[in-house]
């Protein structure tokens, strides 16, 4: 949800390095960003200053229980503007009208009805007692002028407990043009290369979390589940899709009325419909009719085929896994030109940003298939976790998002076993969550309901903690109680609560039941509360001399005190006696025999099943590092990556020497696996950000150039011929090799990139691009970085004329790689013009520019000057992106100043986090600069 910014960037990308610009850093694309982005709809203005303070309680009273809605919605939108010779204004209208009748049960006698409505003109209310069929007189109807969005209807007579009532309301509203609620999406007909660029229109909905109330007045809370019986009235040349299959349709006065079957009982945020001219591609399933919808041209060109290939398989995998069939008879997925999220799991009608769902043979990167499977698997998992069983309130959104994230890696492995990328995705989630959760400003997975009330508070819950930490603590529990026991508990949980709402203790109860049935003792709730009710996570320290283990909270700011304790399952591997599971439930445990009895090394958190970091006594670190250098395969590949990540983060928190962290990268000279390289590049990215404006940078580049030489050579034959390896993780690493080598000045790499780009630029047919799709992103960026105006203009021209989403995304990113200030500055100005850079792409474009050391200062000035416009995207992401390099007192003051002056809306949490991070950066630089410089100098006086 986060908003808009989901940008297609994502699409381009898992594994496609971003930042080439910034020194060698290969960054995997951040999945939660996209989802989050999707989940973070445009921040809404806070009303605090303009209206009276919101009431303390923004929750609906529970005295009325909605049961079903009969809804008519009439959209006047045209799919195409029809120009009449003498009509100057376009014949298009955003108006929608409608009416709804909600049937509800009265649980407690009352004289007023509260429900939600926003941005709607509501009229003609009628309340009826459905038992007696008598109307009840209304004395007053008013909208509350605050963030509650309450529509209050006062009655002259009481509604009696135990009786059934109905409320009819007619209403009017506008289709929104900023991707919220019921919104307009546009695209050009004549894709891909036609000259006929007729603009086409469609309408879609995106209601999570609180926008159902902008479509029709309703009880807009996830626990107020009901049946929805929907009819859409629209132009006759268009087709409506809804959550359910069409029951009947017909023409009335030139309007087509599409009436859908009633939905299952579900939450309001899952309601969806689209009105478009899109066409379907079927996906195979033995019972469910699955179709993938896209613009007709994309369907005809086969771009929906990959999604169609995997969707049916994923659905069947979940049905088998959960032993509960998908509930509906149909499942539509639609690739939308505009969506404020990566995707949205509406029951039976999943919406996707088309960049995420479409795959173009010969144009899309092979790696994009991973993204498609991963996101489709995420959304399909929600059909159970979220749609069938829903969290009671948004304060526990992790029960939706954590499960969907957890399940999607399992499904990915099932549907594309040859990709072998599950470990890579898990490591990605782990690093994302551990990073965020080491800040004191992080939040627990489960928050008290009363702390989450306003829409902006709700939106802030859709973050890396809910998505990734949620998934990882589930994975840790599954490992601790055994996968088969965990799976059994989940089945019981889903089955017990189908169509209902839950909180975490409902889940722990069923997993506990499975544990007990299996003869186990783990107190699941007690253990898991230490992970879900407090924020953060521990670092455990293992002392192999004494056999002692202890724990304390891991915080970047190590001066903060914490008394939190966790119940930690620790998988330990020793070089002589295999693995063992050790529990640490107190501050420290003395002399675990398994740990103390060995002379050589001990490795804890085997395969990274635990959500914590590990530190060791110096001797054990040294033994582990020599093992890595002599025979690294004795250490599982996930741990090779994690040792590096832990060491760097412990150093950042001043628990470990920064030189020890740097030493963990020494073995990479011979490493070909992606996970350790990714870990290194990501961790050194912080060094790049902190030092690329200083004298440390030269020696650092020399070191990295030396480290990456073998890796670059390993792929050279392939790269020189624009070919790729078979294995997906090696495909990722080929890109890393090019990115690191070129960004750190390996001449043969820069030359190769320049030649490849030149070939394209100078070809007779510039539509014929011989650069392999996997390599395009990194080659474009490196060539633009090495080039000047000519390369930039060529890329810009290609960006503007290409109708291929993935190509556009790669070019949009590459354009930020130039070293020329004037080009970057002009590029920033382009983000203000939606004809040049679409609003949904503004956040990521500015963040790309800020990542480039040459564009960092420009971007900061720019967002301050144009905050009102640019924050319509994802303001939080923008702040996070633009302030990443901040490491001086002056920059800190500027940021604080910005915080006091601007109306930050949903970005205010991000600004607080940024301020905290900048303080940490300032201190870190002052403490480490000299040591780091010396270390790099000492490692680089030899070759190159
Ligand atoms: C506008 O065009 C219509 C036909 O489309 C014609 O009947 C009408 O007279 C025109 N009006 C003017 C003011 O030209
Ligand atoms: C333009 O809109 C008006 C009002 O809805 C309608 O009467 C007219 O027929 C439309 N013209 C065309 C060409 O669709
Ligand atoms: C609700 O809207 C539908 C479609 O416009 C209309 O047919 C119906 O009469 C309306 N219901 C009432 C009670 O006005
Ligand atoms: C979809 O599956 C078919 C049949 O297995 C295969 O031939 C085709 O290449 C697949 N399409 C894509 C884009 O993977
Ligand atoms: C490990 O234990 C030994 C013996 O008590 C102690 O001297 C040493 O400082 C400990 N190391 C760490 C890292 O705690
Ligand atoms: Zn989700």
């Amino acid at each position: 949800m986060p908003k808009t910014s989901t940008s297609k960037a994502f699409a381009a990308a898992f594994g496609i390095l971003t930042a080439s610009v910034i020194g060698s850093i290969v960054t995997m694309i951040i999945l939660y960003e996209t989802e989050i982005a999707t989940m973070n709809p445009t921040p809404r203005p806070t009303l605090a200053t303009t209206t009276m303070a919101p009431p303390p309680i923004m929750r609906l009273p529970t005295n009325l229980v909605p049961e079903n809605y009969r809804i008519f919605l009439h959209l006047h939108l045209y799919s195409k503007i029809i120009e009449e010779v003498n009509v100057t204004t376009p014949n298009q209208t955003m108006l929608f009208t409608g009416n709804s009748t909600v049937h509800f049960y009265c649980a407690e006698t009352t004289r007023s009805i509260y429900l939600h409505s926003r941005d709607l003109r509501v009229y003609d209310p009628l309340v009826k007692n459905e038992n007696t069929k008598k109307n009840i007189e209304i004395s007053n109807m008013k909208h509350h002028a605050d963030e509650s969005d309450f529509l209050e209807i006062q009655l002259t007579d009481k509604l009696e407990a135990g009786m059934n009532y109905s409320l009819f309301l007619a209403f009017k509203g506008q289709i929104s043009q900023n991707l919220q609620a019921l919104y307009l999406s546009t695209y050009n007909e004549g894709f891909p290369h036609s000259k006929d660029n007729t603009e086409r229109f469609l309408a879609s909905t995106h209601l999570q979390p609180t926008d159902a109330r902008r479509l029709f007045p309703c009880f807009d809370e996830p626990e107020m589940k009901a049946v929805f019986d929907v009819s859409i009235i629209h132009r006759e040349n268009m087709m409506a899709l809804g959550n359910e299959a069409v029951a009947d349709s017909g023409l009335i006065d030139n309007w087509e009325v599409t009436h859908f079957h009633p939905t299952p009982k579900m939450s309001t945020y899952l309601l969806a419909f689209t009105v478009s001219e899109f066409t379907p591609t079927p996906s195979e399933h033995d019972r469910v009719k699955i179709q993938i919808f896209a613009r007709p041209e994309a369907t005809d060109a086969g771009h929906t085929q990959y999604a169609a290939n995997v969707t049916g398989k994923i659905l069947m995998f979940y049905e088998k896994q959960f032993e509960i069939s998908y509930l509906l008879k149909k499942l539509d997925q639609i690739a939308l030109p505009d969506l404020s999220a990566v995707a949205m799991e509406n029951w039976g009608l999943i919406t996707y940003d088309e960049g995420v769902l479409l795959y173009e043979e010969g144009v899309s990167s092979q790696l994009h298939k991973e993204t498609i499977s991963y996101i489709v698997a995420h959304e399909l998992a929600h059909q159970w976790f979220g749609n069938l069983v829903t969290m009671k309130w948004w304060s526990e959104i992790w029960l939706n998002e954590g499960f969907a994230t957890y399940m999607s890696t399992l499904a990915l492995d099932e549907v594309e076993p040859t990709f072998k990328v599950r470990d890579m995705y898990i490591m990605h989630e782990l690093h994302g969550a551990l990073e965020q959760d080491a800040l004191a400003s992080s939040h627990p997975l489960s928050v008290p309901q009363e702390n989450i009330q306003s829409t902006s508070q709700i939106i802030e819950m859709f973050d890396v903690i809910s998505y990734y930490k949620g998934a990882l603590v589930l994975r840790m529990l599954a490992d601790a109680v055994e996968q088969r026991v965990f799976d059994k508990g989940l089945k019981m949980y889903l089955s017990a609560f189908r169509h209902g709402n839950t909180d975490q203790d409902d889940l722990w109860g069923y997993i506990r039941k499975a544990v007990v049935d299996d003869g186990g003792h783990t107190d699941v709730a007690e253990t898991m509360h230490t992970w879900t009710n407090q924020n953060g996570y521990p670092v455990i320290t293992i002392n192999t001399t004494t056999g002692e283990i202890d724990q304390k909270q891991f915080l970047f700011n190590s001066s903060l005190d914490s008394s939190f304790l966790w119940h930690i399952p620790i998988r330990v591997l020793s070089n002589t006696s295999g693995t063992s599971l050790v529990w640490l439930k107190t501050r420290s445990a003395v002399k675990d025999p398994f740990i103390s009895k060995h002379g050589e090394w001990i490795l804890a958190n085997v395969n990274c099943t635990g959500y914590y970091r590990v530190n060791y006594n110096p001797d054990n670190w040294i033994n582990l590092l020599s093992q890595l250098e002599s025979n690294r395969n004795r250490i599982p590949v996930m741990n090779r990556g994690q040792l590096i990540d832990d060491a760097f983060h412990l150093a950042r928190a001043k628990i470990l020497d920064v030189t020890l962290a740097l030493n963990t990268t020494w073995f990479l000279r011979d490493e070909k696996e992606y996970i350790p390289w990714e870990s290194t590049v990501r961790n050194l990215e912080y060094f790049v950000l902190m030092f690329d404006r200083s004298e440390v940078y030269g020696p650092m580049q020399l070191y990295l150039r030396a480290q990456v030489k073998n890796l670059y050579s390993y792929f050279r034959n392939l790269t020189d011929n624009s070919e790729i390896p078979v294995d997906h993780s090696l495909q990722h690493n080929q890109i890393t090799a090019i990115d690191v080598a070129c960004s750190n000045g390996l001449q043969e790499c820069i030359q190769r990139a320049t030649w490849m780009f030149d070939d394209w630029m100078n070809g007779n047919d510039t539509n014929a691009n011989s650069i392999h799709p996997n390599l395009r992103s990194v080659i474009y960026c490196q060539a633009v970085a090495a080039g000047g105006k000519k390369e930039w203009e060529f890329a810009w021209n290609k960006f503007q004329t290409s109708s291929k989403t993935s190509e556009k995304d790669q070019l949009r990113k590459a354009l930020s790689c130039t070293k020329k200030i004037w080009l970057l500055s002009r590029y920033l100005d382009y983000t203000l013009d939606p004809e040049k850079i679409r609003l949904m792409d503004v956040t990521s474009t500015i963040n790309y520019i800020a990542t480039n050391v040459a564009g960092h200062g420009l971007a900061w000035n720019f967002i301050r000057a144009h905050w009102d416009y640019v924050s319509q995207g994802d303001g939080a992401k923008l702040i996070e992106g633009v302030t990443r390099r901040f490491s001086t007192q002056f920059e800190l003051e500027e940021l604080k100043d910005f915080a006091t002056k601007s109306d930050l809306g949903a970005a205010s949490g991000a600004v607080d986090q940024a301020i905290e991070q900048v303080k940490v950066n300032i201190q870190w630089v002052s403490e480490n600069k000299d040591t780091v410089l010396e270390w790099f100098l000492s490692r680089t006086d030899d070759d190159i």
Side-chain angles (χ1 to χ4, degrees):
M1 340 218 239
K3 286 321 17 8
T4 317
S5 56
T6 257
S7 82
K8 318 245 163 151
F10 170 59
F14 191 77
I16 290 191
L17 312 185
T18 74
S20 323
V21 211
I22 87 180
S24 60
I25 296 328
V26 174
T27 321
M28 292 175 76
I29 200 56
I30 298 182
L31 293 182
Y32 75 85
E33 273 183 12
T34 50
E35 254 254 326
I36 286 178
T38 156
M39 305 286 156
N40 283 328
T42 312
R44 303 166 57 178
T46 28
L47 302 178
T49 52
T50 54
T51 60
M52 53 190 185
I57 300 293
M58 286 189 244
R59 299 291 301 277
L60 291 175
T62 52
N63 51 4
L64 304 179
V65 183
E67 283 168 346
N68 69 71
Y69 295 83
R70 178 75 183 100
I71 306 165
F72 291 90
L73 284 160
H74 188 156
L75 278 65
H76 299 248
L77 184 80
Y78 291 94
S79 66
K80 190 173 176 178
I81 291 171
I82 300 160
E83 291 179 32
E84 284 176 279
V85 255
N86 57 8
V87 176
T88 46
T89 45
N91 201 7
Q92 182 58 289
T93 166
M94 295 299 127
L95 173 74
F96 72 89
T97 55
N99 62 60
S100 71
T101 309
V102 54
H103 288 84
F104 57 90
Y105 169 77
C106 178
E108 226 179 286
T109 302
T110 178
R111 213 182 268 279
S112 48
I113 301 172
Y114 283 87
L115 68 170
H116 290 108
S117 165
R118 183 168 178 238
D119 298 345
L120 295 174
R121 198 163 91 64
V122 180
Y123 50 97
D124 291 351
L126 183 68
V127 177
K128 193 193 270 185
N129 182 323
E130 288 292 327
N131 300 96
T132 64
K133 297 291 173 196
K134 287 221 174 78
N135 291 350
I136 297 170
E137 202 183 319
I138 292 164
S139 57
N140 189 18
M141 175 167 84
K142 65 168 188 203
H143 275 102
H144 286 216
D146 58 39
E147 266 194 291
S148 69
D149 296 334
F150 284 160
L151 175 65
E152 182 184 348
I153 297 170
Q154 305 270 5
L155 307 167
T156 52
D157 284 331
K158 287 204 243 349
L159 303 180
E160 302 288 347
M163 301 284 249
N164 292 301
Y165 297 89
S166 68
L167 165 65
F168 171 90
L169 292 165
F171 52 86
K172 261 184 198 167
Q174 291 280 319
I175 298 177
S176 93
Q177 299 193 55
N178 59 2
L179 313 186
Q180 300 178 357
L182 172 58
Y183 70 90
L184 179 76
S185 178
T186 60
Y187 61 101
N188 289 329
E189 193 185 7
F191 166 93
H193 291 303
S194 160
K195 305 236 163 17
D196 173 18
N197 266 354
T198 311
E199 196 164 33
R200 289 285 182 161
F201 301 89
L202 65 101
S204 177
T205 55
H206 184 76
L207 306 185
Q208 193 185 37
T210 61
D211 275 350
R213 64 190 67 168
R214 298 170 71 176
L215 188 61
F216 63 108
C218 56
F219 297 85
D220 197 9
E221 295 193 359
E223 206 171 350
M224 304 250 184
K225 289 191 173 184
V227 168
F228 299 85
D229 187 346
V230 181
S231 294
I232 306 290
I233 301 153
H234 53 91
R235 302 278 171 194
E236 31 170 333
N237 58 334
M238 299 177 89
M239 169 217 47
L241 296 174
N243 297 89
E244 272 285 1
V246 175
D248 50 79
S249 66
L251 279 184
I252 301 178
D253 300 337
N254 292 327
W255 290 99
E256 182 156 356
V257 181
T258 304
H259 176 214
F260 299 98
H261 284 292
T263 66
K265 209 175 151 216
M266 67 180 200
S267 303
T268 44
Y269 76 89
L270 291 169
L271 192 77
F273 68 89
T274 60
V275 177
S276 74
E277 298 172 308
F278 282 15
T279 52
T281 307
S283 174
E284 256 178 63
H285 188 281
D286 50 16
R287 185 177 38 82
V288 182
K289 183 176 184 193
I290 304 178
Q291 299 189 96
I292 323 287
F293 285 83
R295 359 171 164 180
E297 299 88 351
T299 302
D300 293 346
H303 298 171
T304 45
Q305 195 54 52
Y306 183 72
N309 279 9
V310 294
T311 303
K313 289 185 204 161
I314 296 172
L315 197 69
M316 287 189 274
F317 167 71
Y318 287 140
E319 294 187 313
K320 197 171 83 207
Q321 178 82 13
F322 306 141
E323 292 174 5
I324 297 178
S325 297
Y326 170 73
L327 207 71
L328 311 185
K329 290 197 188 64
K330 71 99 176 175
L331 171 62
D332 294 327
Q333 304 196 90
I334 184 165
L336 295 167
D338 304 283
L339 179 64
S340 69
V342 174
M344 177 62 211
E345 70 262 21
N346 317 296
W347 212 341
L349 175 55
I350 305 176
T351 49
Y352 293 86
D353 178 318
E354 67 176 12
V356 170
L357 200 65
L358 302 183
Y359 182 85
E360 311 178 39
E361 203 75 62
V363 174
S364 304
S365 163
Q366 287 287 312
L367 307 174
H368 187 44
K369 289 187 175 178
E370 292 165 22
T371 306
I372 296 172
S373 306
Y374 184 71
I375 305 285
V376 169
H378 179 103
E379 304 309 326
L380 293 191
H382 275 313
Q383 307 302 305
W384 286 264
F385 290 98
N387 300 7
L388 187 63
V389 178
T390 314
M391 74 282 150
K392 285 193 168 134
W393 182 242
W394 301 108
S395 53
E396 288 194 318
I397 189 62
W398 79 273
L399 289 173
N400 276 12
E401 299 304 344
F403 265 113
T405 305
Y406 172 72
M407 287 299 162
S408 62
T409 51
L410 300 183
L412 179 59
D413 228 19
E414 171 77 15
V415 70
E416 291 289 12
T418 62
F419 287 1
K420 300 204 179 69
V421 288
R422 180 174 161 200
D423 291 353
M424 183 183 95
Y425 277 74
I426 290 169
M427 292 305 277
H428 180 70
E429 294 162 5
L430 184 65
H431 297 145
L434 291 180
E435 182 86 12
Q436 193 71 24
D437 214 11
L439 296 169
S441 53
S442 183
H443 65 84
L445 280 170
S446 291
V447 174
Q449 286 203 13
E450 59 272 20
N451 293 4
I452 304 297
Q453 296 208 26
S454 67
T455 294
S456 45
Q457 287 169 331
I458 292 169
I459 289 170
E460 287 189 22
M461 291 301 287
F462 288 86
D463 66 358
V464 65
I465 300 298
S466 297
Y467 280 72
Y468 291 176
K469 182 180 184 178
L472 293 160
V473 302
L474 292 170
R475 177 167 172 266
M476 177 165 64
L477 178 62
D479 180 64
V481 302
E482 287 190 42
Q483 190 75 46
R484 95 198 130 71
V485 175
F486 181 79
D487 289 349
K488 193 172 148 225
L490 282 195
K491 280 177 209 166
M492 293 191 283
Y493 163 79
L494 282 175
S495 163
F497 294 103
R498 56 174 91 189
H499 302 294
N501 294 76
T502 60
D503 59 28
Q504 59 166 336
D505 287 323
D506 296 321
L507 173 64
W508 308 143
Y510 277 94
I511 294 180
R512 165 76 182 170
K513 186 168 181 321
V515 167
V516 171
D517 288 353
D518 195 59
H521 307 288
T522 313
D523 187 332
V524 176
E526 195 191 4
T527 299
M528 294 311 290
H529 286 168
T530 69
W531 299 97
T532 56
N533 291 350
Q534 48 194 15
N535 58 290
Y537 59 89
V539 50
I540 62 164
T541 304
I542 290 189
N543 190 335
T544 54
T545 318
T546 58
E548 284 178 355
I549 319 180
D550 64 47
Q551 62 164 301
K552 69 169 186 169
Q553 186 178 2
F554 180 79
L555 288 164
F556 283 132
N557 186 345
S558 48
S559 66
L560 296 169
D561 257 352
S562 155
S563 56
F564 294 166
L565 281 183
W566 286 265
H567 289 193
I568 315 173
I570 307 171
R571 266 203 200 278
V572 200
L573 168 71
S574 93
N575 63 324
T576 50
S577 28
T579 68
S580 160
L581 181 67
V582 175
W583 279 93
L584 178 62
K585 301 187 178 182
T586 51
R587 174 130 344 260
S588 68
V590 270
K591 301 205 181 294
D592 188 281
F594 188 86
I595 288 171
S596 57
K597 73 182 173 210
H598 309 285
E600 291 179 52
W601 52 263
I602 286 280
L603 178 78
N605 201 7
V606 179
N607 288 327
C608 305
T609 50
Y611 184 74
Y612 52 84
R613 296 195 182 279
V614 187
N615 192 11
Y616 303 95
N617 52 316
D619 281 354
N620 197 59
W621 272 114
I622 289 167
N623 292 341
L624 283 169
L625 294 188
S626 12
Q627 182 64 62
L628 285 172
E629 271 155 49
S630 60
N631 177 7
R632 62 183 183 283
N633 293 321
R634 292 285 304 282
I635 312 279
V637 66
M638 290 171 101
N639 289 96
R640 302 213 288 277
Q642 192 56 28
L643 282 168
I644 296 169
D645 196 68
D646 281 345
F648 273 93
H649 285 82
L650 293 168
R652 221 169 129 182
K654 296 186 270 259
I655 298 171
L656 204 65
D657 245 19
V658 71
T659 52
L660 196 153
L662 289 166
N663 286 342
T664 63
T665 66
W666 190 242
F667 78 96
L668 287 176
R669 255 168 211 239
D670 301 314
E671 178 66 88
K672 304 290 181 293
E673 289 284 349
Y674 179 65
I675 287 174
W677 267 103
E678 187 281 329
S679 183
T680 302
V681 169
R682 182 170 33 75
N683 279 292
L684 287 180
E685 180 174 20
Y686 185 68
F687 285 59
V688 175
L689 290 171
M690 294 302 107
F691 294 137
D692 65 2
R693 296 177 285 175
S694 84
E695 72 270 25
V696 179
Y697 199 48
M700 181 168 170
Q701 286 195 305
L702 276 183
Y703 173 72
L704 288 172
R705 212 187 298 161
Q707 291 298 88
V708 80
K709 250 182 110 175
N710 282 343
L711 190 69
Y712 186 83
S713 304
Y714 180 70
F715 294 113
R716 185 193 294 126
N717 285 343
L718 292 171
T719 306
D720 286 358
N721 294 309
S722 206
E723 287 167 1
I724 60 167
V726 176
D727 183 304
H728 267 238
S729 81
L730 286 181
Q731 289 181 23
H732 284 282
N733 223 17
Q734 180 188 23
I735 297 165
T736 306
I738 300 172
D739 191 38
V740 175
C742 280
S743 320
N744 290 293
L746 190 72
Q747 279 312 316
E748 64 168 313
C749 177
I750 295 170
Q751 235 161 45
R752 177 60 53 190
T754 304
W755 285 338
M756 287 163 93
F757 196 78
D758 274 357
D759 269 356
W760 184 29
M761 232 177 5
N762 302 330
N764 293 331
D765 176 8
T766 58
N767 287 325
N769 180 348
S770 63
I771 306 169
H772 191 282
N774 274 30
L775 307 181
R776 286 182 189 169
S777 185
V778 66
I779 296 295
Y780 293 174
C781 176
Q782 293 301 342
V784 168
K789 179 163 184 256
K790 182 168 159 233
E791 287 74 12
W792 202 94
E793 298 288 358
F794 178 77
W796 175 250
N797 179 42
K798 282 283 159 196
F799 167 74
Q800 284 191 304
T801 53
S802 173
S803 57
K804 302 181 182 192
T805 315
S806 53
E807 177 86 352
K808 275 179 109 72
D809 289 338
Q810 292 167 348
L811 288 163
R812 191 163 55 79
K813 189 187 269 180
L815 288 165
S816 74
C817 298
T818 178
K819 300 294 174 201
K820 305 270 184 282
I821 305 272
W822 72 272
L823 287 171
L824 290 169
S825 177
R826 190 180 62 174
Y827 193 26
L828 279 169
D829 289 338
Y830 288 179
T831 64
L832 297 175
D833 179 356
E835 299 278 304
K836 293 196 164 78
I837 302 291
R838 297 197 302 175
L839 186 55
M840 68 186 299
D841 294 330
V842 167
T843 304
S844 59
T845 305
I846 296 173
N847 281 349
Y848 295 152
I849 295 170
T851 304
N852 181 345
V853 64
H856 142 93
L858 297 173
W860 172 231
N861 289 337
F862 184 81
I863 67 162
R864 283 182 295 172
H866 304 284
W867 181 250
D868 285 350
Y869 183 80
V870 298
S871 63
Q872 289 177 76
D874 184 345
K877 273 265 90 67
L878 202 52
I879 291 295
E880 192 191 316
V882 173
T883 61
R884 285 168 79 216
R885 200 180 258 104
F886 283 18
S887 51
T888 65
Q889 198 59 38
F890 180 70
E891 286 163 335
L892 178 62
E893 295 309 323
E894 285 195 332
L895 184 56
K896 284 181 173 167
D897 196 43
F898 177 69
T900 60
K901 283 189 192 144
S902 307
D903 178 8
L904 297 168
S908 66
V911 175
D912 292 343
Q913 285 185 357
I915 289 175
E916 195 186 338
Q917 185 61 50
V918 176
K919 290 179 186 164
V920 172
N921 296 349
I922 291 172
Q923 208 187 343
W924 188 85
V925 169
S926 79
E927 288 169 0
N928 290 288
K929 193 170 162 191
D930 296 343
T931 320
V932 171
L933 177 58
E934 200 177 308
W935 191 91
F936 280 121
L937 285 171
S938 76
R939 294 298 170 133
T940 50
D941 44 16
D942 45 354
D943 45 359
I944 321 205

